[in-house]
Amino acid sequence: MVTIYDIAKQANVSAMTVSKVINNTGKISEKTRSRVKKIMEEMNYVPNSMARSLVLQETKMLSLLIPDITNPFFTTVARGAEDAAMRLGYKLLFGNSDESLAKEKEYVDMILSTRVDGVLFSAASDLSAPHLQTLRTHRIPFVLLDRAVPGVDCDTVSGDSKEGARKLVEHLIRLGHRRIAIVNGSLAVSTARERLAGYREALKLGDLEADESLILEMNYKQFADEDALRRLLALPEPPTAVFAGNNFIAVGIIRKLLEFGIRVPEQISVVCFDDLGASVIDPFFTVVSQPAYQFGAMGIQLLVERIKGTTTPDWKKIVLPSELIVRGSSAEPPHG
């Protein structure tokens, strides 16, 4: 294996000079720099990245930890993060917590042993705070993505879940719906709380009472509680519309409704937070769509700025807008 000492001997310079050329540090004449680089190319020299990381205290590696890689929202987030990382000269390691705190902790332990330069972190729940504190204790910069964690102050990139939820429910109210159910994610996740708050606000603005029997708390990964849906539909005044806290919940609801022989939107409307892209479900969902690619790209940009110390000491809070997209899953409530 060719070493920097071989390069130094061939270029008639010191090993320290070769190191400065490799790491782009120190004052060296352009003539010397060019000569050393040419010899490195001729001798097919490949820098030892581990040794370089020990000298510069950086690995040029970042980590992205998300709660569900199968969700199209987070898949697109990952694409944006990877593209931005590569553009900025970093490689990206992916981790998928599956909304599990135990699995999230395993990934945090792996991050510590890998010595990444920073982490773009979408928390499993509010209880992720100790994992973030572990990163802070080891002086690993992180940016929170999509979900806030109470008591943790840091840079964040998020959407306005409350406003997006309000847009969806207001759309249903304009169509004439008065009995609107919400099937939400766990309230231990900040986005679920914000979406519930937007739901309640829209009802209040529409002069409608919030009926607690129409509010269900589930899990963001899927909707599997058939009995809960049956209870909703069996109410003396059943809902004419359902707002699903995310796209996976919405898919599960429509599948169950189809099993029950209930047509969407003729008999009940279904809307949801986050798009599914090229969905195979018919009808396509009415959604509030978030710019998922920008979540990942801007998160990485913010993280690299924090790593390099080129940002302000104050924490940055970036809130990205959402868009209401009306499709075939919502319609006027059935008459009679």
Side-chain angles (χ1 to χ4, degrees), residues 169-185:
V169 178
E170 286 178 341
H171 164 70
L172 293 171
I173 293 172
R174 284 194 298 271
L175 288 173
H177 293 276
R178 296 296 177 265
R179 296 282 292 171
I180 303 169
I182 177 172
V183 182
N184 204 4

Side-chain angles (χ1 to χ4, degrees), residues 16-267:
M16 180 62 71
T17 298
V18 177
S19 178
K20 288 177 179 179
V21 172
I22 293 170
N23 297 314
N24 197 28
T25 59
K27 293 183 178 180
I28 306 171
S29 72
E30 193 56 42
K31 183 179 179 180
T32 300
R33 189 181 298 277
S34 298
R35 185 169 79 254
V36 170
K37 283 185 175 180
K38 183 180 179 183
I39 292 171
M40 287 169 58
E41 291 174 4
E42 291 173 350
M43 299 182 73
N44 294 317
Y45 173 71
V46 179
N48 186 321
S49 60
M50 182 58 72
R52 183 177 185 275
S53 71
L54 290 172
V55 172
L56 300 181
Q57 292 298 299
E58 65 177 5
T59 63
K60 286 294 181 180
M61 291 175 61
L62 305 173
S63 178
L64 171 65
L65 184 54
I66 54 179
D68 189 0
I69 192 61
T70 62
N71 187 314
F73 171 76
F74 286 112
T75 304
T76 308
V77 165
R79 176 83 257 184
E82 183 183 35
D83 287 350
M86 293 292 285
R87 186 174 66 251
L88 294 169
Y90 289 82
K91 290 184 172 60
L92 193 62
L93 300 177
F94 292 94
N96 173 46
S97 71
D98 275 326
E99 306 277 3
S100 163
L101 286 165
K103 193 172 179 182
E104 184 177 85
K105 183 182 184 303
E106 290 178 8
Y107 272 113
V108 169
D109 291 341
M110 184 198 73
I111 286 166
L112 297 181
S113 64
T114 308
R115 296 184 69 250
V116 300
D117 295 335
V119 185
L120 188 55
F121 196 109
S122 188
S125 78
D126 293 350
L127 298 179
S128 298
H131 302 159
L132 294 168
Q133 184 55 51
T134 297
L135 294 177
R136 184 154 282 167
T137 298
H138 287 81
R139 298 183 180 181
I140 298 177
F142 59 85
V143 171
L144 275 181
L145 181 73
D146 184 47
R147 303 174 177 185
V149 176
V152 177
D153 292 324
C154 62
D155 296 317
T156 61
V157 178
S158 64
D160 193 336
S161 283
K162 182 178 179 181
E163 181 194 18
R166 182 176 53 77
K167 287 178 185 177
L168 277 170
V169 178
E170 286 178 341
H171 164 70
L172 293 171
I173 293 172
R174 284 194 298 271
L175 288 173
H177 293 276
R178 296 296 177 265
R179 296 282 292 171
I180 303 169
I182 177 172
V183 182
N184 204 4
S186 167
L187 295 182
V189 177
S190 65
T191 52
R193 293 193 298 274
E194 291 161 9
R195 289 166 197 180
L196 178 59
Y199 164 86
R200 291 184 182 278
E201 183 176 282
L203 293 180
K204 186 176 181 179
L205 292 171
D207 292 325
L208 299 175
E209 291 289 334
D211 184 340
E212 297 302 314
S213 67
L214 297 178
I215 300 174
L216 299 182
E217 180 183 351
M218 299 288 175
N219 184 299
Y220 270 150
K221 280 188 66 64
Q222 60 185 342
F223 177 80
D225 196 337
E226 182 175 314
D227 291 339
L229 185 57
R230 287 186 184 277
R231 287 194 298 272
L232 267 183
L233 300 175
L235 290 170
E237 291 185 75
T240 59
V242 178
F243 163 35
N246 81 343
N247 42 26
F248 272 18
I249 293 174
V251 170
I253 289 173
I254 284 195
R255 283 177 176 160
K256 291 298 179 185
L257 291 173
L258 291 175
E259 288 177 17
F260 298 163
I262 296 174
R263 299 188 308 279
V264 178
E266 291 84 358
Q267 292 174 277

